Amino acid sequence: MNKIEHIGIAVKSLNNASDTYERLLGISAYKEELVESESVKTSFFKIGENKIELLEATDPNSPIAKFINNRGEGIHHIAFDVDDIVLEMERLRKEGFTLLNEQPKKGADNKLVCFVHPKATHGVLIELCQEVRNE
Ligand code: ZN
């Protein structure tokens, strides 16, 4: 894994949270994106090498809605940048981690992503992400 690519924060209102983070960081979001497969709206802030991803559920059954119901707003996941997500998934499987998807899937911000179950990572949902090339 190369570096922390972004930190995902579950929020109730993307509008409110984007305003808060604009004032906090002193910059504007560089992108807002709807990810239909995950039933979320996201906005991204670039801060140095890293990014902050705000996530609002667009559906009461989305994982983000369930997270907020159970735990309230807050840090939802930490995403690590990888060069080859398929290789990295294979490595983590061999290490005994449970992956939440069998195949990489298309995530926000032009990434292929895979999630690692938080039960094996001391309560933190981990996302692997690989920049999509040739697009
Ligand atoms: Zn993410």
PDB file of all heavy atoms in Angstrom, residues 37-59:
ATOM      1  N   SER A  37     -24.165   3.022  -7.345  1.00  0.00           N
ATOM      2  CA  SER A  37     -24.018   1.638  -6.868  1.00  0.00           C
ATOM      3  C   SER A  37     -23.944   1.576  -5.346  1.00  0.00           C
ATOM      4  O   SER A  37     -24.299   0.572  -4.740  1.00  0.00           O
ATOM      5  CB  SER A  37     -22.776   1.000  -7.487  1.00  0.00           C
ATOM      6  OG  SER A  37     -21.623   1.733  -7.141  1.00  0.00           O
ATOM      7  N   GLU A  38     -23.474   2.653  -4.710  1.00  0.00           N
ATOM      8  CA  GLU A  38     -23.345   2.661  -3.248  1.00  0.00           C
ATOM      9  C   GLU A  38     -24.436   3.506  -2.588  1.00  0.00           C
ATOM     10  O   GLU A  38     -24.438   3.654  -1.361  1.00  0.00           O
ATOM     11  CB  GLU A  38     -21.983   3.253  -2.851  1.00  0.00           C
ATOM     12  CG  GLU A  38     -20.784   2.481  -3.364  1.00  0.00           C
ATOM     13  CD  GLU A  38     -20.592   1.157  -2.622  1.00  0.00           C
ATOM     14  OE1 GLU A  38     -20.621   1.167  -1.387  1.00  0.00           O
ATOM     15  OE2 GLU A  38     -20.444   0.132  -3.291  1.00  0.00           O
ATOM     16  N   SER A  39     -25.308   4.084  -3.398  1.00  0.00           N
ATOM     17  CA  SER A  39     -26.346   4.982  -2.873  1.00  0.00           C
ATOM     18  C   SER A  39     -25.771   6.093  -1.991  1.00  0.00           C
ATOM     19  O   SER A  39     -26.232   6.324  -0.874  1.00  0.00           O
ATOM     20  CB  SER A  39     -27.409   4.205  -2.083  1.00  0.00           C
ATOM     21  OG  SER A  39     -27.972   3.217  -2.886  1.00  0.00           O
ATOM     22  N   VAL A  40     -24.753   6.751  -2.516  1.00  0.00           N
ATOM     23  CA  VAL A  40     -24.175   7.897  -1.798  1.00  0.00           C
ATOM     24  C   VAL A  40     -23.905   9.065  -2.740  1.00  0.00           C
ATOM     25  O   VAL A  40     -23.657   8.888  -3.936  1.00  0.00           O
ATOM     26  CB  VAL A  40     -22.832   7.575  -1.084  1.00  0.00           C
ATOM     27  CG1 VAL A  40     -23.028   6.656   0.095  1.00  0.00           C
ATOM     28  CG2 VAL A  40     -21.782   7.056  -2.032  1.00  0.00           C
ATOM     29  N   LYS A  41     -23.969  10.248  -2.130  1.00  0.00           N
ATOM     30  CA  LYS A  41     -23.454  11.459  -2.756  1.00  0.00           C
ATOM     31  C   LYS A  41     -22.171  11.783  -2.018  1.00  0.00           C
ATOM     32  O   LYS A  41     -22.123  11.698  -0.785  1.00  0.00           O
ATOM     33  CB  LYS A  41     -24.422  12.634  -2.543  1.00  0.00           C
ATOM     34  CG  LYS A  41     -25.475  12.775  -3.580  1.00  0.00           C
ATOM     35  CD  LYS A  41     -26.188  14.133  -3.467  1.00  0.00           C
ATOM     36  CE  LYS A  41     -26.742  14.409  -2.088  1.00  0.00           C
ATOM     37  NZ  LYS A  41     -27.632  15.589  -2.025  1.00  0.00           N
ATOM     38  N   THR A  42     -21.151  12.169  -2.777  1.00  0.00           N
ATOM     39  CA  THR A  42     -19.862  12.432  -2.134  1.00  0.00           C
ATOM     40  C   THR A  42     -19.354  13.810  -2.527  1.00  0.00           C
ATOM     41  O   THR A  42     -19.706  14.335  -3.588  1.00  0.00           O
ATOM     42  CB  THR A  42     -18.803  11.397  -2.585  1.00  0.00           C
ATOM     43  OG1 THR A  42     -18.578  11.558  -3.992  1.00  0.00           O
ATOM     44  CG2 THR A  42     -19.250   9.984  -2.311  1.00  0.00           C
ATOM     45  N   SER A  43     -18.541  14.383  -1.668  1.00  0.00           N
ATOM     46  CA  SER A  43     -17.753  15.526  -2.119  1.00  0.00           C
ATOM     47  C   SER A  43     -16.333  15.351  -1.601  1.00  0.00           C
ATOM     48  O   SER A  43     -16.108  14.750  -0.543  1.00  0.00           O
ATOM     49  CB  SER A  43     -18.370  16.867  -1.713  1.00  0.00           C
ATOM     50  OG  SER A  43     -18.260  17.085  -0.359  1.00  0.00           O
ATOM     51  N   PHE A  44     -15.387  15.824  -2.399  1.00  0.00           N
ATOM     52  CA  PHE A  44     -13.968  15.591  -2.133  1.00  0.00           C
ATOM     53  C   PHE A  44     -13.208  16.897  -1.951  1.00  0.00           C
ATOM     54  O   PHE A  44     -13.388  17.844  -2.728  1.00  0.00           O
ATOM     55  CB  PHE A  44     -13.323  14.842  -3.306  1.00  0.00           C
ATOM     56  CG  PHE A  44     -13.621  13.375  -3.321  1.00  0.00           C
ATOM     57  CD1 PHE A  44     -14.741  12.890  -3.977  1.00  0.00           C
ATOM     58  CD2 PHE A  44     -12.787  12.471  -2.683  1.00  0.00           C
ATOM     59  CE1 PHE A  44     -15.026  11.545  -4.001  1.00  0.00           C
ATOM     60  CE2 PHE A  44     -13.061  11.110  -2.700  1.00  0.00           C
ATOM     61  CZ  PHE A  44     -14.178  10.644  -3.361  1.00  0.00           C
ATOM     62  N   PHE A  45     -12.371  16.899  -0.950  1.00  0.00           N
ATOM     63  CA  PHE A  45     -11.457  18.013  -0.682  1.00  0.00           C
ATOM     64  C   PHE A  45     -10.037  17.489  -0.770  1.00  0.00           C
ATOM     65  O   PHE A  45      -9.743  16.434  -0.221  1.00  0.00           O
ATOM     66  CB  PHE A  45     -11.671  18.558   0.734  1.00  0.00           C
ATOM     67  CG  PHE A  45     -13.011  19.201   0.931  1.00  0.00           C
ATOM     68  CD1 PHE A  45     -14.132  18.421   1.196  1.00  0.00           C
ATOM     69  CD2 PHE A  45     -13.157  20.569   0.844  1.00  0.00           C
ATOM     70  CE1 PHE A  45     -15.373  19.002   1.368  1.00  0.00           C
ATOM     71  CE2 PHE A  45     -14.397  21.161   1.021  1.00  0.00           C
ATOM     72  CZ  PHE A  45     -15.504  20.382   1.282  1.00  0.00           C
ATOM     73  N   LYS A  46      -9.179  18.220  -1.432  1.00  0.00           N
ATOM     74  CA  LYS A  46      -7.779  17.819  -1.496  1.00  0.00           C
ATOM     75  C   LYS A  46      -6.994  18.675  -0.530  1.00  0.00           C
ATOM     76  O   LYS A  46      -7.064  19.907  -0.582  1.00  0.00           O
ATOM     77  CB  LYS A  46      -7.252  18.000  -2.919  1.00  0.00           C
ATOM     78  CG  LYS A  46      -5.870  17.407  -3.110  1.00  0.00           C
ATOM     79  CD  LYS A  46      -5.656  16.988  -4.549  1.00  0.00           C
ATOM     80  CE  LYS A  46      -4.247  16.451  -4.812  1.00  0.00           C
ATOM     81  NZ  LYS A  46      -3.689  15.591  -3.773  1.00  0.00           N
ATOM     82  N   ILE A  47      -6.301  17.999   0.378  1.00  0.00           N
ATOM     83  CA  ILE A  47      -5.533  18.744   1.366  1.00  0.00           C
ATOM     84  C   ILE A  47      -4.141  18.127   1.401  1.00  0.00           C
ATOM     85  O   ILE A  47      -3.951  17.017   1.880  1.00  0.00           O
ATOM     86  CB  ILE A  47      -6.290  18.776   2.730  1.00  0.00           C
ATOM     87  CG1 ILE A  47      -5.621  19.681   3.734  1.00  0.00           C
ATOM     88  CG2 ILE A  47      -6.604  17.424   3.289  1.00  0.00           C
ATOM     89  CD1 ILE A  47      -6.069  21.135   3.606  1.00  0.00           C
ATOM     90  N   GLY A  48      -3.186  18.810   0.766  1.00  0.00           N
ATOM     91  CA  GLY A  48      -1.842  18.241   0.611  1.00  0.00           C
ATOM     92  C   GLY A  48      -1.915  16.967  -0.212  1.00  0.00           C
ATOM     93  O   GLY A  48      -2.550  16.923  -1.249  1.00  0.00           O
ATOM     94  N   GLU A  49      -1.269  15.930   0.280  1.00  0.00           N
ATOM     95  CA  GLU A  49      -1.211  14.624  -0.394  1.00  0.00           C
ATOM     96  C   GLU A  49      -2.521  13.855  -0.297  1.00  0.00           C
ATOM     97  O   GLU A  49      -2.712  12.873  -0.993  1.00  0.00           O
ATOM     98  CB  GLU A  49      -0.161  13.763   0.328  1.00  0.00           C
ATOM     99  CG  GLU A  49       1.255  14.051  -0.043  1.00  0.00           C
ATOM    100  CD  GLU A  49       1.676  13.118  -1.154  1.00  0.00           C
ATOM    101  OE1 GLU A  49       1.836  11.917  -0.888  1.00  0.00           O
ATOM    102  OE2 GLU A  49       1.819  13.601  -2.285  1.00  0.00           O
ATOM    103  N   ASN A  50      -3.366  14.259   0.627  1.00  0.00           N
ATOM    104  CA  ASN A  50      -4.514  13.428   0.996  1.00  0.00           C
ATOM    105  C   ASN A  50      -5.826  14.108   0.658  1.00  0.00           C
ATOM    106  O   ASN A  50      -5.860  15.275   0.303  1.00  0.00           O
ATOM    107  CB  ASN A  50      -4.462  13.099   2.485  1.00  0.00           C
ATOM    108  CG  ASN A  50      -3.124  12.524   2.899  1.00  0.00           C
ATOM    109  OD1 ASN A  50      -2.358  13.184   3.585  1.00  0.00           O
ATOM    110  ND2 ASN A  50      -2.822  11.333   2.451  1.00  0.00           N
ATOM    111  N   LYS A  51      -6.877  13.347   0.779  1.00  0.00           N
ATOM    112  CA  LYS A  51      -8.202  13.869   0.483  1.00  0.00           C
ATOM    113  C   LYS A  51      -9.151  13.541   1.628  1.00  0.00           C
ATOM    114  O   LYS A  51      -8.929  12.568   2.361  1.00  0.00           O
ATOM    115  CB  LYS A  51      -8.734  13.222  -0.795  1.00  0.00           C
ATOM    116  CG  LYS A  51      -7.920  13.562  -2.036  1.00  0.00           C
ATOM    117  CD  LYS A  51      -8.341  12.678  -3.190  1.00  0.00           C
ATOM    118  CE  LYS A  51      -7.417  12.868  -4.384  1.00  0.00           C
ATOM    119  NZ  LYS A  51      -7.568  11.750  -5.338  1.00  0.00           N
ATOM    120  N   ILE A  52     -10.170  14.342   1.714  1.00  0.00           N
ATOM    121  CA  ILE A  52     -11.283  14.062   2.603  1.00  0.00           C
ATOM    122  C   ILE A  52     -12.493  13.801   1.708  1.00  0.00           C
ATOM    123  O   ILE A  52     -12.754  14.576   0.787  1.00  0.00           O
ATOM    124  CB  ILE A  52     -11.594  15.272   3.524  1.00  0.00           C
ATOM    125  CG1 ILE A  52     -10.396  15.622   4.419  1.00  0.00           C
ATOM    126  CG2 ILE A  52     -12.861  15.019   4.348  1.00  0.00           C
ATOM    127  CD1 ILE A  52     -10.131  14.653   5.533  1.00  0.00           C
ATOM    128  N   GLU A  53     -13.185  12.721   1.962  1.00  0.00           N
ATOM    129  CA  GLU A  53     -14.395  12.375   1.219  1.00  0.00           C
ATOM    130  C   GLU A  53     -15.572  12.468   2.190  1.00  0.00           C
ATOM    131  O   GLU A  53     -15.597  11.770   3.194  1.00  0.00           O
ATOM    132  CB  GLU A  53     -14.272  10.931   0.687  1.00  0.00           C
ATOM    133  CG  GLU A  53     -15.527  10.411   0.008  1.00  0.00           C
ATOM    134  CD  GLU A  53     -15.421   8.929  -0.383  1.00  0.00           C
ATOM    135  OE1 GLU A  53     -14.734   8.168   0.311  1.00  0.00           O
ATOM    136  OE2 GLU A  53     -16.032   8.556  -1.395  1.00  0.00           O
ATOM    137  N   LEU A  54     -16.517  13.335   1.883  1.00  0.00           N
ATOM    138  CA  LEU A  54     -17.746  13.398   2.671  1.00  0.00           C
ATOM    139  C   LEU A  54     -18.784  12.546   1.972  1.00  0.00           C
ATOM    140  O   LEU A  54     -18.904  12.588   0.741  1.00  0.00           O
ATOM    141  CB  LEU A  54     -18.232  14.850   2.781  1.00  0.00           C
ATOM    142  CG  LEU A  54     -17.231  15.859   3.350  1.00  0.00           C
ATOM    143  CD1 LEU A  54     -17.843  17.267   3.341  1.00  0.00           C
ATOM    144  CD2 LEU A  54     -16.797  15.479   4.757  1.00  0.00           C
ATOM    145  N   LEU A  55     -19.538  11.761   2.746  1.00  0.00           N
ATOM    146  CA  LEU A  55     -20.513  10.835   2.162  1.00  0.00           C
ATOM    147  C   LEU A  55     -21.885  11.035   2.796  1.00  0.00           C
ATOM    148  O   LEU A  55     -22.022  10.962   4.018  1.00  0.00           O
ATOM    149  CB  LEU A  55     -20.087   9.384   2.414  1.00  0.00           C
ATOM    150  CG  LEU A  55     -18.693   8.977   1.945  1.00  0.00           C
ATOM    151  CD1 LEU A  55     -17.845   8.546   3.132  1.00  0.00           C
ATOM    152  CD2 LEU A  55     -18.764   7.851   0.936  1.00  0.00           C
ATOM    153  N   GLU A  56     -22.870  11.275   1.941  1.00  0.00           N
ATOM    154  CA  GLU A  56     -24.257  11.357   2.402  1.00  0.00           C
ATOM    155  C   GLU A  56     -25.057  10.251   1.717  1.00  0.00           C
ATOM    156  O   GLU A  56     -24.952  10.064   0.500  1.00  0.00           O
ATOM    157  CB  GLU A  56     -24.862  12.723   2.028  1.00  0.00           C
ATOM    158  CG  GLU A  56     -26.327  12.851   2.433  1.00  0.00           C
ATOM    159  CD  GLU A  56     -27.067  14.009   1.761  1.00  0.00           C
ATOM    160  OE1 GLU A  56     -26.467  15.078   1.549  1.00  0.00           O
ATOM    161  OE2 GLU A  56     -28.249  13.808   1.433  1.00  0.00           O
ATOM    162  N   ALA A  57     -25.868   9.534   2.483  1.00  0.00           N
ATOM    163  CA  ALA A  57     -26.699   8.473   1.917  1.00  0.00           C
ATOM    164  C   ALA A  57     -27.784   9.074   1.032  1.00  0.00           C
ATOM    165  O   ALA A  57     -28.355  10.117   1.353  1.00  0.00           O
ATOM    166  CB  ALA A  57     -27.345   7.665   3.040  1.00  0.00           C
ATOM    167  N   THR A  58     -28.084   8.413  -0.082  1.00  0.00           N
ATOM    168  CA  THR A  58     -29.202   8.845  -0.923  1.00  0.00           C
ATOM    169  C   THR A  58     -30.378   7.893  -0.766  1.00  0.00           C
ATOM    170  O   THR A  58     -31.399   8.051  -1.413  1.00  0.00           O
ATOM    171  CB  THR A  58     -28.795   8.874  -2.412  1.00  0.00           C
ATOM    172  OG1 THR A  58     -28.346   7.567  -2.776  1.00  0.00           O
ATOM    173  CG2 THR A  58     -27.699   9.879  -2.668  1.00  0.00           C
ATOM    174  N   ASP A  59     -30.218   6.902   0.089  1.00  0.00           N
ATOM    175  CA  ASP A  59     -31.225   5.862   0.262  1.00  0.00           C
ATOM    176  C   ASP A  59     -31.136   5.384   1.708  1.00  0.00           C
ATOM    177  O   ASP A  59     -30.035   5.195   2.217  1.00  0.00           O
ATOM    178  CB  ASP A  59     -30.865   4.727  -0.714  1.00  0.00           C
ATOM    179  CG  ASP A  59     -31.844   3.574  -0.654  1.00  0.00           C
ATOM    180  OD1 ASP A  59     -32.101   3.056   0.458  1.00  0.00           O
ATOM    181  OD2 ASP A  59     -32.341   3.191  -1.705  1.00  0.00           O
TER     182      ASP A  59
END
